[in-house]
Amino acid sequence: MRIVDVREKTVSIASPIANAYIDFSKMTCSVVAVITDQVRDGKPVVGFGFNSNGRYGQGSLMRERFLPRLMEADPDSLIDARHDNLDPFKIWSTLMMNEKPGGHGERSVAVGTLDMAVWDAVAKIAGVPLWRLLADRYRGGVADDKVWVYAAGGYYYPGKGLEALQDEMKSYRDRGYRVVKMKIGGASLAEDIKRIEAVLKIVGDGQNLCVDVNGRFDIRTAIEYGKALLPYNLFWYEEVGDPLDYALQAELAQHYDKPMATGENLFSMQDARNLIRFGGMRPDRDWLQFDCALSYGLVEYLRTLDMMHQHGWSSRRVVPHGGHQMSLNIAAGLHLGGNESYPDVFKPFGGFADGIAVNDSYVGLPQIPGVGFEAKSELYAVMQGLLD
């Protein structure tokens, strides 16, 4: 059993949208295919992966460092003898060979993308959906048969007024989402309040609306916005300051007693642990949004979940960023609180399997082996292009 080839390419997910910090006019992501010598249903088993939006394609790092290490390794050193399969943990250690600790930046994205493809291959070799494999290995066989999801949107783009924003949110509600999310911080406080109130006219209760700052605010602005948001009783107030400014997050918690969310731009167990230790996050109400595809993959994510448990946090307080099928499998298999969804942006990488509808903010999972990319035709066509 061995990996015989790994292919990668960079693809565009550019669009004219923007949040409070960046625009996505030049956004890219990496797509990879891990080709094995195993055969199922008459075809070689291939694991696929890609990185979540917000970080660019990582092909150069893969080609220069990580792929040579993987392909030069002794194939026997990458095997899980107990399960007669590839071993994601041994593969991860091989990828990270000769890497210094700390500095969890773009390399975490490169490794996370490859790790996704490895787990897809492992589940396909085992002949089960990834969520089932994870539940069997780490949750005593107990999995969720559906996952809570919310619709992420509400981006800024030129000419988008209140009516267009309302139409967008209404379309999410019409497609089965109860909770929606919108961007704030890219306009004045007064304008953002008008935008929030316009959306609330569509979704009703504030518990159906999340707002996301994407790390833009200093502490003064964070508190100012927080005081203005309090009367709306929102589902959460997200990533208010720089993701590594734990003191800001802790200070804000003294002024804003409603739920907050952050973590999508923390890319290691160690950074996640510092948030838990020093960020003032409250396990009875706040939400953590770590994204496995950006943070060294599922191998590291399992360490992060274990760390959270040691610090008294339930895995149900985790709702990953990314809006894709890998996070959906993790949520179902590892007892997470839900998953982000991108109904209209970052296509074809956002969204879930074809033909599985969202019902009152819950979505089911495909029953096919692996992550389930093959059940999302538009995305699978891109992935198949790596093999042509």
Side-chain angles (χ1 to χ4, degrees):
M1 182 179 298
R2 60 181 297 169
I3 294 170
V4 298
D5 193 14
V6 180
R7 301 179 187 178
E8 58 82 23
K9 70 176 180 180
T10 300
V11 300
S12 173
I13 52 172
S15 68
I17 62 176
N19 60 36
Y21 216 103
I22 66 169
D23 70 68
F24 292 84
S25 60
K26 299 184 185 300
M27 186 59 60
T28 62
C29 77
S30 287
V31 185
V32 299
V34 171
I35 304 169
T36 77
D37 66 351
Q38 297 299 291
V39 176
R40 298 293 185 273
D41 297 324
K43 298 179 181 179
V45 172
V46 179
F48 295 104
F50 60 89
N51 66 272
S52 303
N53 66 82
R55 299 286 160 169
Y56 297 89
Q58 302 297 317
S60 60
L61 281 179
M62 294 184 200
R63 291 189 297 272
E64 292 171 9
R65 300 213 307 262
F66 299 110
L67 294 182
R69 292 171 189 162
L70 182 61
M71 301 311 296
E72 292 166 7
D74 179 353
D76 291 340
S77 72
L78 308 178
I79 300 304
D80 175 358
R82 176 186 173 191
H83 295 105
D84 190 25
N85 208 321
L86 297 173
D87 190 322
F89 296 87
K90 292 178 180 178
I91 291 171
W92 192 94
S93 295
T94 298
L95 294 172
M96 288 296 290
M97 188 180 302
N98 218 32
E99 295 284 327
K100 292 179 70 174
H104 306 291
E106 300 301 288
R107 75 178 181 189
S108 69
V109 182
V111 173
T113 304
L114 292 167
D115 178 271
M116 183 190 294
V118 168
W119 282 98
D120 186 37
V122 165
K124 287 172 177 173
I125 292 169
V128 296
L130 178 59
W131 58 267
R132 170 49 54 199
L133 182 140
L134 296 177
D136 289 347
R137 290 191 182 184
Y138 303 108
R139 294 285 309 175
V142 179
D144 294 327
D145 59 3
K146 60 181 180 179
V147 175
W148 178 83
V149 292
Y150 68 92
Y155 288 85
Y156 299 96
Y157 63 79
K160 184 179 183 180
L162 297 181
E163 185 176 351
L165 178 61
Q166 289 179 316
D167 288 344
E168 176 191 354
M169 296 304 172
K170 185 177 185 302
S171 77
Y172 297 152
R173 298 279 286 193
D174 290 345
R175 281 176 274 179
Y177 295 94
R178 178 175 55 83
V179 178
V180 302
K181 186 170 81 176
M182 62 180 287
K183 303 299 183 179
I184 64 171
S188 68
L189 173 56
E191 183 177 346
D192 274 337
I193 290 299
K194 290 179 181 177
R195 295 172 66 250
I196 288 169
E197 291 180 346
V199 171
L200 287 173
K201 290 179 181 178
I202 302 300
V203 303
D205 193 280
Q207 284 295 289
N208 294 329
L209 178 61
C210 309
V211 295
D212 184 2
V213 184
N214 291 104
R216 182 66 182 268
F217 292 162
D218 58 21
I219 186 61
R220 180 191 63 81
T221 310
I223 293 172
E224 181 184 17
Y225 261 75
K227 289 179 177 179
L229 295 177
L230 276 171
Y232 299 107
N233 190 30
L234 301 178
F235 194 94
W236 71 48
Y237 182 23
E238 178 178 339
E239 201 174 40
V240 183
D242 186 283
L244 292 175
D245 193 342
Y246 306 121
L248 181 151
Q249 189 69 39
E251 174 66 16
L252 181 59
Q254 302 303 310
H255 301 270
Y256 188 81
D257 64 359
K258 304 298 182 183
M260 293 188 286
T262 193
E264 72 178 65
N265 287 302
L266 300 179
F267 297 151
S268 67
M269 182 279 288
Q270 293 85 354
D271 283 342
R273 184 172 60 194
N274 281 336
L275 175 66
I276 297 299
R277 286 173 170 173
F278 308 119
M281 298 293 284
R282 302 154 300 190
D284 66 324
R285 76 197 77 168
D286 292 334
W287 302 91
L288 304 173
Q289 299 171 301
F290 314 123
D291 182 338
C292 71
L294 302 181
S295 53
Y296 292 108
L298 179 53
V299 168
E300 182 79 350
Y301 214 81
L302 289 164
R303 298 181 183 125
T304 298
L305 292 174
D306 183 61
M307 174 276 297
M308 287 176 50
H309 177 73
Q310 294 173 20
H311 284 78
W313 279 76
S314 168
S315 60
R316 289 297 198 195
R317 305 309 298 180
V318 181
V319 178
H321 166 267
H324 49 67
Q325 291 164 289
M326 181 66 175
S327 290
L328 191 71
N329 274 267
I330 295 172
L334 296 180
H335 206 63
L336 304 189
N339 195 38
E340 188 170 27
S341 176
Y342 292 115
D344 291 334
V345 293
F346 309 121
K347 293 183 177 180
F349 298 95
F352 312 124
D354 299 340
I356 300 181
V358 177
N359 184 14
D360 193 25
S361 272
Y362 282 85
V363 67
L365 294 95
Q367 300 295 319
I368 63 175
V371 175
F373 297 128
E374 291 78 2
K376 184 172 172 55
S377 57
E378 188 180 3
L379 174 58
Y380 188 54
V382 174
M383 293 175 160
Q384 279 289 98
L386 289 170
L387 308 179
D388 294 340

